[in-house]
Amino acid sequence: MENIKLKRRILTAVKSGVSKTVLFFLYRALKVLSKDDSRIMEEFLSWENGLSVSLKCGFEGPALYLIKDGTHLRKVKCLEKSDIDITFKSIDAAFLVLTGQIGISRAYAEHRFMLNGDISRTMSLVRAIDITEVYLFPSIMAKRILKSIPKKEKSSIAIYRKVIFG
């Protein structure tokens, strides 16, 4: 019994670490693509200044907190209240979405996360994330999780270079 608990704790720690890494790259990619992809730029410009977003992997897991600050997307350590709050019900649910095993629409249909905030602003964020996933994930994964694959305006290699090296 103790062996099973230990394995579960290790697996949860691994999933948490992978989710934290994916959130890091998601933020960096959104920041780069808000300037390099016209569709994400359009979504980004439609957000009011000061829009705050919380994306949490469970109640104790890693999280990403963003604020639109003028023409920039800024990451902050925490938010007391956010305009859009997406909280996955568990690290397992977050891991499935963040690693491209299931899409956000399926996760929503299966009640794997809770959403607080305006649904229309959230849909704008989801559209931006969907386009970002096309750049970050191999096409075989993107085809599995997205209903349609938008055409890339830049090469994924160029975006990865900017995401990694700034």
Side-chain angles (χ1 to χ4, degrees):
M1 189 67 154
E2 260 183 59
N3 196 19
I4 293 171
K5 288 181 182 180
L6 178 63
K7 285 181 183 179
R8 179 69 185 153
R9 276 194 304 234
I10 291 170
L11 187 58
T12 299
V14 168
K15 287 180 179 181
S16 183
V18 169
S19 296
K20 186 175 183 176
T21 303
V22 171
L23 288 175
F24 170 80
F25 280 103
L26 177 64
Y27 160 68
R28 297 281 300 250
L30 279 169
K31 191 172 180 176
V32 166
L33 289 167
S34 69
K35 307 230 181 307
D36 285 2
D37 186 285
S38 64
R39 297 155 302 179
I40 293 180
M41 188 183 306
E42 187 178 321
E43 295 293 349
F44 183 73
L45 291 174
S46 74
W47 304 345
E48 70 272 6
N49 195 33
L51 178 77
S52 57
V53 177
S54 297
L55 183 57
K56 298 179 254 183
C57 301
F59 298 99
E60 299 291 326
L64 177 63
Y65 303 106
L66 304 172
I67 295 179
K68 182 188 179 200
D69 188 8
T71 59
H72 296 84
L73 193 59
R74 199 167 40 93
K75 183 175 162 183
V76 294
K77 290 198 183 262
C78 66
L79 291 169
E80 286 189 28
K81 177 108 172 83
S82 57
D83 299 313
I84 299 171
D85 183 7
I86 299 171
T87 304
F88 287 95
K89 292 184 177 179
S90 69
I91 191 67
D92 297 319
F95 182 79
L96 289 172
V97 173
L98 294 174
T99 58
Q101 295 178 54
I102 65 172
I104 193 75
S105 57
R106 179 173 166 191
Y108 181 75
E110 293 176 356
H111 305 285
R112 292 182 184 262
F113 66 87
M114 296 174 289
L115 169 66
N116 289 311
D118 182 5
I119 191 84
S120 64
R121 289 192 289 184
T122 304
M123 291 310 300
S124 176
L125 173 67
V126 168
R127 283 190 296 273
I129 290 173
D130 282 350
I131 295 168
T132 302
E133 287 175 341
V134 170
Y135 286 97
L136 295 179
F137 290 142
S139 61
I140 199 160
M141 284 177 71
K143 286 177 186 174
R144 190 175 63 211
I145 61 175
L146 300 173
K147 289 179 181 160
S148 64
I149 306 297
K151 188 165 172 38
K152 296 178 188 178
E153 294 181 4
K154 304 273 184 179
S155 77
S156 288
I157 293 170
I159 298 302
Y160 264 112
R161 186 175 41 81
K162 286 183 177 183
V163 166
I164 293 169
F165 300 113

